[in-house]
Amino acid sequence: MSYNFDEYIDRYGTESTKWDAFENRFPGLDAKGCIPMWVADTDFRAPQEVIDAIVAKAEFGIFGYPKGKGKSFDQAVTGWIFQRHGWQLDPEWIVPTTGVVPAITHAIQAFTQEGDGVLIQPPVYYPFKNTIQKNKRRVIENPLLLDEETEQYEIDFADFEHKLKDPKTKLFILCNPHNPVGRVWSEEDLTKIGELCLKHQVLVFADEIHSDLILKGSRHIPLGMLDERFNQHVITAYSASKTFNLAGLQTSVVILPERRIRQRYLEQLEINQARDINIFGTIALEAAYTHGADYLKAFLEHVESNLDYALDYTEKHLQGVRIIKPQGTYLVWFDFRGTGLTADQIDALIIEKAKVAVDLGRWFGEEGAGFLRFNFACHRSTLVKALEQIKEALKAL
Ligand SMILES: Cc1ncc(COP(=O)(O)O)c(C=O)c1O
């Protein structure tokens, strides 16, 4: 089957957060008429096999309680993760959840107490901080450092270990690939992370939701695959939602290799009454992981080509702006600090003047001031229009 990411699909008026609900996310800014390039979903249809599977179930017309994950579901997950990353999962380790953020929340509740510390690496996907705080745990931060030579973010390992050493630090949320800075952590980085977390007995939640979305020249290594000892100390999350645009179906899986950790996690799911998963979500995940390889290949080519276009355009036309070249994800971290504007001025310029709705860098932590996150999982014309509007806004300064 061939896939067409050149078809423009009008999503206005389709109950989409990205296209229909951005006004309430930008208080004080007039986001009306903005081009939506925020929220991490794509402007494309899911693979036809996913649509067909959902339609078949819908036409059956009986939507009673599903029995939970079955053999074919497990086969789809184990097959996909082995095919993508070479990691052989035991079906017993796989537990479906209603999304990755809920899965993180269950882990926080299961493995930490109120007042304990949970470590994150800002600038990072902001719901991490939000769920830690909402659960009355302490947010411990190990900010990433931007290396000006490589123009890539790196982990400050001295500070990382310092934060792990605190006996109150109980859980570390790893984001790999990292949203928003686009790093795909190397084997060397992951080995250090795994060793240090073992040494200080800090459990790891590895959010690998973006791990299908690896760009040319990089390879994703699941932390749990790297070393049997890490495997016993890591909870990993995967989902088909980013890759195949299924986020509205709210389904993901967590991988829990260690028996006692798995038991405790399942107990927490019982406490939270969160064992049941929507039937359309499991059907869609199974179909995507079974039939989605060609779709993913074509989608990644599209994202790469949008990225190449933007890199070239930015260098030629957007003075003072640079792209931190992502190794993974379809999210692209733009550095606007070279324009000499303040973070407030940058945010206002891009949203109010250029009329492009993006994720503001500061949403990801103070380290994000002066940066903006763009979503490149869009039609080329959307990207071209956004870049041209930014060029005009910068020119009018
Ligand atoms: C790193 C990361 N984790 C989790 C999520 C959301 O996952 P879910 O919708 O399954 O809760 C996102 C969505 O953008 C993400 O970027």
Side-chain angles (χ1 to χ4, degrees), residues 9-181:
I9 302 171
D10 186 357
R11 295 183 68 198
Y12 274 120
T14 61
E15 310 294 320
S16 143
T17 301
K18 186 179 178 184
W19 287 79
D20 297 322
F22 54 77
E23 281 162 31
N24 47 14
R25 192 65 174 111
F26 299 98
L29 295 171
D30 179 13
K32 260 204 194 75
C34 280
I35 301 172
M37 293 188 77
W38 64 309
V39 181
D41 71 17
T42 87
D43 290 334
F44 303 111
R45 281 200 178 88
Q48 192 57 43
E49 292 88 344
V50 172
I51 299 168
D52 290 346
I54 290 175
V55 167
K57 181 51 103 180
E59 283 182 343
F60 179 57
I62 296 175
F63 309 116
Y65 293 111
K67 72 175 168 46
K69 71 167 191 151
K71 205 169 165 194
S72 60
F73 181 87
D74 282 341
Q75 273 169 352
V77 176
T78 54
W80 182 257
I81 299 302
F82 185 73
Q83 183 193 333
R84 309 276 6 129
H85 315 307
W87 191 16
Q88 188 62 62
L89 303 175
D90 183 328
E92 208 187 347
W93 303 347
I94 301 168
V95 175
T97 50
T98 57
V100 173
V101 175
I104 293 171
T105 306
H106 303 311
I108 290 171
Q109 293 168 351
F111 302 108
T112 69
Q113 306 286 332
E114 281 192 14
D116 282 348
V118 181
L119 184 59
I120 56 172
Q121 295 179 312
V124 73
Y125 182 57
Y126 37 90
F128 290 177
K129 184 172 186 173
N130 191 31
T131 189
I132 296 167
Q133 287 175 330
K134 288 249 153 68
N135 282 282
K136 301 191 173 63
R137 274 62 169 174
R138 271 188 311 135
V139 177
I140 311 291
E141 297 188 328
N142 166 232
L144 298 177
L145 303 175
L146 180 55
D147 180 333
E148 281 302 337
E149 231 163 80
T150 58
E151 297 193 274
Q152 289 293 327
Y153 280 83
E154 301 293 344
I155 295 171
D156 177 349
F157 276 104
D159 180 68
F160 183 64
E161 180 160 23
H162 179 67
K163 303 285 162 62
L164 291 176
K165 263 188 194 157
D166 182 340
K168 292 292 271 181
T169 304
K170 293 290 194 296
L171 184 70
F172 164 52
I173 306 174
L174 170 69
C175 194
N176 186 31
H178 189 96
N179 169 12
V181 309

Side-chain angles (χ1 to χ4, degrees), residues 146 151-153 181 322-326 332-333 335 371:
L146 180 55
E151 297 193 274
Q152 289 293 327
Y153 280 83
V181 309
R322 68 172 164 171
I323 287 177
I324 304 299
K325 205 171 166 215
V332 182
W333 193 233
D335 181 359
F371 293 79

Side-chain angles (χ1 to χ4, degrees), residues 40 99-102 125 128 175 179 207 209-210 239 241-242 252:
V100 173
V101 175
Y125 182 57
F128 290 177
C175 194
N179 169 12
D207 177 343
I209 193 170
H210 293 281
S239 174
S241 61
K242 297 290 129 191
S252 58

Side-chain angles (χ1 to χ4, degrees), residues 19 51 64 115 285 287 346 352 364-365:
W19 287 79
I51 299 168
L285 183 148
I346 292 164
E352 287 185 342
F364 301 87

